[in-house]
């Protein structure tokens, strides 16, 4: 008997394949690979090392993430998507060849005061309609002029903006945002970037100088389609195994609250994964898992360490058999649809208890 607990199997071949697909979609753009949140749960050092020769820059959301890449041997530039949080960090940013976004006056003023060992590369973040971060359109010229004067930063600025509805193919808001971005940066020197995964797949005019792929690198669609429709391959297969196979009588409930009772005699499979591993607790009855070449439904409530599936009366499944929660055989987008939880959230919520295994 060998029951392997929850394991995320990560494929570098799939990762490289997806990068190639992305390059073909945007052949004239540089690639800023987004590896924030531990590379969307895939392991930031592994992913960045695997991709370093194929990309121009990495992007993260926190300085700690950038420094962890540096201490693990990554040498390509790293962009802080939300900029620096504390002006005391500016010398560290300069020394480590980290690039920063500037999105507000506080950051501008901090840069003016800063004493840094070498000039920092700065990207001006422009709010074109997301209304979350960025300087407003009528402040762009002011920030541009002010930044240009600073000896603390490199003479070549970059320009960043972010779409709020790039996944909605019938919305004209993306075009509005793109027009605003081009207008605001017209006659200004420096790389422009506005497209993340949705922009890359659906808005080729938005590719500009650099693209910022996140979720599609991991083989996952940013919309309610599946990644395979765009030629992408899931990088993660989330697996576990059967911890028990039990005879179950018609009319008997299973699990906490007894929320499901079986309409017939059957066999119940107990799978060694639960919300303590980051598998969502609130999935409806019938949410699929993949086992021995077929889909079986989750029944009863997901608990912390286990969940239960209806294997059917004739099942030949054995303790130790591998179960796939999401991956090539069962797209995470399908689980997202059942659970009402975005793929982005599912993939980043796995807990440290899940074993990470790097295959190929
Ligand atoms: C997270 C993020 C991205 C990547 O988004 P995806 O939809 O995963 O491709 C790109 N740019 C910014 C500013 C982000 O915060």
């Amino acid at each position: 008997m060998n029951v392997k607990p929850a394991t995320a199997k990560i494929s570098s071949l799939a990762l490289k394949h997806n990068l190639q697909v992305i390059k073909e979609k945007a052949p004239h753009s540089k690639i800023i690979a987004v590896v924030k949140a531990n590379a969307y749960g895939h392991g930031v050092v592994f992913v960045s090392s695997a991709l370093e020769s194929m990309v121009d820059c990495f992007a993260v959301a926190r300085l700690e993430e950038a420094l962890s890449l540096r201490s693990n041997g990554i040498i390509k530039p790293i962009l802080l998507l939300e900029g620096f949080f504390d002006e005391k960090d500016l010398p560290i940013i300069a020394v480590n060849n980290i690039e920063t976004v500037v999105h507000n006056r506080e950051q501008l003023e901090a840069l003016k005061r800063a004493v840094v060992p070498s000039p920092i590369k700065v990207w001006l973040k422009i709010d074109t309609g997301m209304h979350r971060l960025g300087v407003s359109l009528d402040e762009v010229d002011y920030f541009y002029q002010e930044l240009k004067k600073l000896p603390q930063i490199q003479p070549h600025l970059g320009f960043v903006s972010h779409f709020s509805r790039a996944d909605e193919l019938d919305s004209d808001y993306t075009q509005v945002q793109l027009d605003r971005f081009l207008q605001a940066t017209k006659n200004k020197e420096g790389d422009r970037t506005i497209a993340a995964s949705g922009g890359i797949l659906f808005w080729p005019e938005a590719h500009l100088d650099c693209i910022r792929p996140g979720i599609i690198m991991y083989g996952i669609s940013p919309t309610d389609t599946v990644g395979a429709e765009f030629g992408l391959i899931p990088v993660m297969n989330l697996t576990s195994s059967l911890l028990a196979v039990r005879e179950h009588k018609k009319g008997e409930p299973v699990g906490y609250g007894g929320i499901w009772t079986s309409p017939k005699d059957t066999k119940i499979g107990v799978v060694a994964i639960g919300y303590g591993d980051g598998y969502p607790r609130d999935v409806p009855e019938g949410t699929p898992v993949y086992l021995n070449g077929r889909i079986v439904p989750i029944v009863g409530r997901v608990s912390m360490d286990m969940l239960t599936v209806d294997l059917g009366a004739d099942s030949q499944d054995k303790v130790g058999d591998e179960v796939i929660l999401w991956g090539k055989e069962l797209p995470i987008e399908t689980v997202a649809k059942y659970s009402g939880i975005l793929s982005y959230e599912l993939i980043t919520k796995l807990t440290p208890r899940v074993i990470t295994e790097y295959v190929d």
Side-chain angles (χ1 to χ4, degrees), residues 32-36 40 59-61 79 81-82 101 125 130 132-133 160-163 193-200 211-218 220 222 344:
I32 301 174
V34 180
V35 294
K36 61 191 178 187
Y40 292 50
V60 294
L79 169 62
L81 290 167
E82 292 150 30
V101 150
K125 173 105 177 193
M130 170 72 119
R132 187 177 59 179
L133 288 184
V160 195
S161 193
H162 197 55
F163 290 131
T193 171
I194 192 167
S197 292
I200 294 165
I211 52 170
R212 305 192 308 272
I215 198 101
I216 54 175
M217 287 198 304
Y218 309 102
I220 301 168
Y344 286 86

Side-chain angles (χ1 to χ4, degrees), residues 17 61 81 96 128 162 166 196 200 213 231 244 256 270 301 339 343:
H17 166 87
L81 290 167
N96 286 284
T128 55
H162 197 55
I200 294 165
Y256 286 117
V270 183
R301 212 165 256 164
S339 62
S343 307

